[in-house]
Amino acid sequence: MSNTPVADGRATSCAACPLRQKRALREFSADELAIVQRMKTGELRMKPGASFLRQGERNEHFYTILSGWAFRYKMLPDGRRQILNYALPADLVGLQGSLMVEMEHSVEALTDVTLCAFPRERLWTLYSNSPSLAFDITWLAAREEQLVDEHLLTLGQRTALERTAYVLLHLYTRAEEVGLTRGSDPVHLPITQQHLADTLGLSLVHTNKTLKRLHVAGMIRWKDRLFEVLDRQALAAAAGGDITRIRQRPFI
Amino acid sequence: MSNTPVADGRATSCAACPLRQKRALREFSADELAIVQRMKTGELRMKPGASFLRQGERNEHFYTILSGWAFRYKMLPDGRRQILNYALPADLVGLQGSLMVEMEHSVEALTDVTLCAFPRERLWTLYSNSPSLAFDITWLAAREEQLVDEHLLTLGQRTALERTAYVLLHLYTRAEEVGLTRGSDPVHLPITQQHLADTLGLSLVHTNKTLKRLHVAGMIRWKDRLFEVLDRQALAAAAGGDITRIRQRPFI
DNA sequence: CGCTTGATTGATGCAAGTCAATTATGGTGG
DNA sequence: CCACCATAATTGACTTGCATCAATCAAGCG
């Protein structure tokens, strides 16, 4: 198999994928690159607020996030919403809907999002042609579950203050991991307090008051979508332990 | 490859695996059966209360539950415990610990448990030799995440009464799926109210009082480890929607 | 028979929810 | 340029769902 970049009308060739540069992501062989390239059908752009995967619907593609932020969520019939997790660049979304009959959650864009699309049928081809990539996909699924496990511990056992500290530190750390911190500290955190409340399982008002406590204590600054950790030690302590970091990770 | 059952000192041959009978589980080809058989190193028996996979430790095996109940949980340094999910026959546990460096949660037996053990290195062999089984493993990982997602919605958004109704209905349904209902109705539910409280993220006392409400309303009966759904309609309504059932599922 | 584990119940307190009003802030059309 | 509107953040007053504390009861069991 050739390692020549495939030239085709698509926006980006996988060999030139900007995500490949990231230190946190594992290297691909030329073979693997070619397989992913052949599986990719194109790119998709989403506007903030667009739900591109919806609970109850069958989805024909799954996606890797090339750029932007999104979030996975579930809703109850009466409108209560629980945000399950956030999806950042290099994260895989919609895999569940490709394996099962239909999606059991929805995914919505928070910023302009660029997605790399793979048709669900070709997942099977990938499993037949590349055990290593199949392994990576399982790894990503297991990693996602691990994050949800941690979130579950947070909602079930931590107090409002601990929860808030934990989730903020978690988001900050993940943004760092994929190089979303410009320069030193502040990250662009494209969520409202309502999103945070729906993540924490708290009311909007109480979320606001808890944030204020963290702010007054000098641990964080969050203004105009810019988020800054001022005292990581203290924030980690308030969260009840630091965040589990991932060394090297695969992505498709 | 032969479809003759492999005779070797092990307790059960995979071809004769009692779980194969279950309607809910997908059929295996002779090839697949042989591969699983070769991967299996033996069986393990656990006593109630034994934690056979532990948070922070590296585990050399992952397991399929052949019989019995177990639960996955995480703990905070100060002892607070969150039960993430329960593991019933045909469920896979410890996969995460085989993919990642170490376990991020623990698993403890609730009853006598028989496990089918697979060494972590052979997972790679399986991915190389059987795309279909690799696919099944990913399916199981995605399914587990789906269950945790639902649980997260429950803890984040549902009230104590809704939570309790939901989790009980969930457990009952899953027990049904793998044929744990003897005769018609009552299931052996091998958990204490403390387990349930740690699952729901509620205090023991409040869990007890909420159970009583469901009992008084004539929806459930739970006495001496025997659990019965008396009014499924009402219980589902109290839970805020019925449980997502799975038609056909794979297992390893 | 006393010990331990689990279930049950009442009294009291507090963390978080709800209600309601006010203050930015930015967009937009007259 | 400004009046108008919608979205988001903030704050105070009041309410409540769930936690905590503290007994009591029931059942197995060595």
Side-chain angles (χ1 to χ4, degrees):
Chain A
M1 221 158 280
S2 155
N3 65 353
T4 327
V6 179
D8 59 3
R10 289 162 201 154
T12 324
S13 105
C14 294
C17 178
L19 292 178
R20 294 276 155 225
Q21 316 307 325
K22 311 280 184 194
R23 264 173 304 119
L25 305 178
R26 89 158 171 88
E27 300 246 11
F28 267 21
S29 72
D31 268 21
E32 289 172 329
L33 222 46
I35 290 174
V36 173
Q37 179 75 67
R38 264 186 287 128
M39 190 161 79
K40 174 176 175 181
T41 53
E43 289 179 11
L44 229 62
R45 269 150 214 287
M46 290 296 155
K47 284 279 153 207
S51 283
F52 53 96
L53 289 164
R54 269 180 303 271
Q55 189 169 359
E57 291 185 6
R58 181 186 161 92
N59 58 315
E60 295 309 323
H61 298 80
F62 60 96
Y63 309 98
T64 288
I65 309 233
L66 281 183
S67 68
W69 289 63
F71 64 94
R72 301 197 303 115
Y73 66 100
K74 281 176 84 80
M75 291 198 59
L76 290 173
D78 65 3
R80 282 174 283 176
R81 174 179 75 172
Q82 178 61 43
I83 294 184
L84 305 167
N85 201 0
Y86 293 84
L88 273 65
D91 285 337
L92 200 60
V93 292
L95 176 67
Q96 218 176 77
S98 295
L99 293 166
M100 322 303 234
V101 185
E102 58 182 41
M103 289 291 287
E104 290 295 336
H105 61 264
S106 305
V107 186
E108 181 177 321
L110 282 165
T111 61
D112 282 317
V113 167
T114 309
L115 301 165
C116 196
F118 308 101
R120 67 186 296 172
E121 326 84 59
R122 293 196 206 165
L123 188 59
W124 175 250
T125 321
L126 179 138
Y127 270 71
S128 304
N129 295 337
S130 176
S132 62
L133 291 175
F135 206 83
D136 282 353
I137 291 202
T138 310
W139 192 98
L140 287 167
R143 161 70 171 159
E144 182 66 25
E145 197 226 289
Q146 186 182 302
L147 292 176
V148 184
D149 281 353
E150 183 70 44
H151 196 174
L152 195 55
L153 170 65
T154 298
L155 291 207
Q157 303 301 325
R158 294 196 233 245
T159 65
L161 191 73
E162 292 170 328
R163 282 185 219 196
T164 310
Y166 189 87
V167 167
L168 288 176
L169 192 52
H170 166 85
L171 285 178
Y172 183 77
T173 305
R174 285 184 61 197
E176 253 183 349
E177 275 173 9
V178 288
L180 257 41
T181 42
R182 49 177 103 163
S184 59
D185 226 3
V187 203
H188 177 67
L189 197 61
I191 64 173
T192 65
Q193 292 188 5
Q194 184 63 65
H195 287 115
L196 189 57
D198 288 350
T199 307
L200 298 169
L202 297 173
S203 71
L204 175 59
V205 173
H206 199 66
T207 300
N208 180 287
K209 288 173 179 168
T210 308
L211 278 171
K212 181 160 195 196
R213 286 210 278 156
L214 290 173
H215 181 94
V216 167
M219 299 184 201
I220 60 161
R221 179 151 46 207
W222 188 17
K223 197 81 182 152
D224 298 324
R225 303 287 117 98
L226 272 185
F227 176 76
E228 216 170 334
V229 174
L230 298 176
D231 186 344
R232 182 162 194 140
Q233 292 282 305
L235 191 60
D242 209 336
I243 262 64
T244 328
R245 282 156 174 288
I246 288 293
R247 303 117 258 268
Q248 190 84 356
R249 54 182 284 197
F251 88 106
I252 300 296
Chain B
M1 221 157 279
S2 155
N3 66 352
T4 326
V6 180
D8 59 3
R10 289 164 201 152
T12 324
S13 105
C14 295
C17 178
L19 292 178
R20 295 274 155 228
Q21 317 306 324
K22 310 280 183 193
R23 265 173 303 121
L25 305 178
R26 89 159 173 88
E27 300 248 10
F28 267 22
S29 73
D31 268 21
E32 290 172 328
L33 221 47
I35 290 174
V36 173
Q37 179 76 67
R38 264 186 287 130
M39 191 162 78
K40 174 177 174 179
T41 52
E43 289 178 12
L44 229 62
R45 269 150 214 286
M46 290 296 155
K47 284 280 154 206
S51 283
F52 53 95
L53 289 165
R54 269 179 304 272
Q55 189 169 357
E57 290 185 6
R58 181 185 160 93
N59 58 314
E60 295 309 322
H61 297 80
F62 60 97
Y63 309 97
T64 289
I65 308 232
L66 281 183
S67 69
W69 289 62
F71 65 94
R72 302 197 303 116
Y73 67 99
K74 280 176 85 79
M75 291 197 60
L76 290 173
D78 66 3
R80 282 174 283 177
R81 175 179 73 172
Q82 178 60 44
I83 294 183
L84 305 167
N85 201 1
Y86 293 84
L88 273 64
D91 285 337
L92 200 60
V93 293
L95 176 66
Q96 216 176 78
S98 295
L99 293 166
M100 321 304 233
V101 185
E102 57 183 41
M103 289 291 287
E104 291 296 335
H105 62 263
S106 305
V107 186
E108 180 177 321
L110 282 164
T111 62
D112 282 317
V113 168
T114 310
L115 301 166
C116 196
F118 308 102
R120 68 186 295 172
E121 325 85 61
R122 293 196 206 165
L123 188 59
W124 175 250
T125 321
L126 180 139
Y127 270 70
S128 305
N129 294 336
S130 176
S132 60
L133 291 176
F135 207 83
D136 282 354
I137 291 202
T138 310
W139 193 98
L140 288 167
R143 161 70 172 159
E144 183 67 24
E145 198 227 289
Q146 186 182 303
L147 292 175
V148 184
D149 282 352
E150 183 71 43
H151 196 175
L152 195 54
L153 170 66
T154 298
L155 292 209
Q157 303 300 325
R158 294 195 231 246
T159 66
L161 191 72
E162 293 170 328
R163 282 185 219 196
T164 310
Y166 189 87
V167 167
L168 288 176
L169 193 52
H170 165 86
L171 286 177
Y172 182 77
T173 305
R174 284 184 60 197
E176 254 182 350
E177 276 173 9
V178 288
L180 256 41
T181 42
R182 48 178 106 165
S184 60
D185 226 5
V187 204
H188 176 68
L189 196 61
I191 64 173
T192 65
Q193 292 188 5
Q194 184 64 65
H195 288 115
L196 189 56
D198 288 349
T199 308
L200 299 169
L202 297 173
S203 72
L204 175 60
V205 173
H206 199 66
T207 301
N208 180 287
K209 288 172 180 171
T210 308
L211 278 171
K212 181 161 195 195
R213 287 210 278 156
L214 290 174
H215 181 95
V216 167
M219 298 184 201
I220 60 161
R221 178 150 48 207
W222 188 17
K223 197 78 183 154
D224 298 324
R225 301 289 116 99
L226 273 185
F227 176 76
E228 216 169 334
V229 174
L230 298 176
D231 186 344
R232 181 162 192 139
Q233 292 281 307
L235 192 60
D242 208 337
I243 263 64
T244 329
R245 281 155 175 290
I246 288 293
R247 303 115 259 266
Q248 189 84 355
R249 53 182 286 196
F251 88 106
I252 300 294

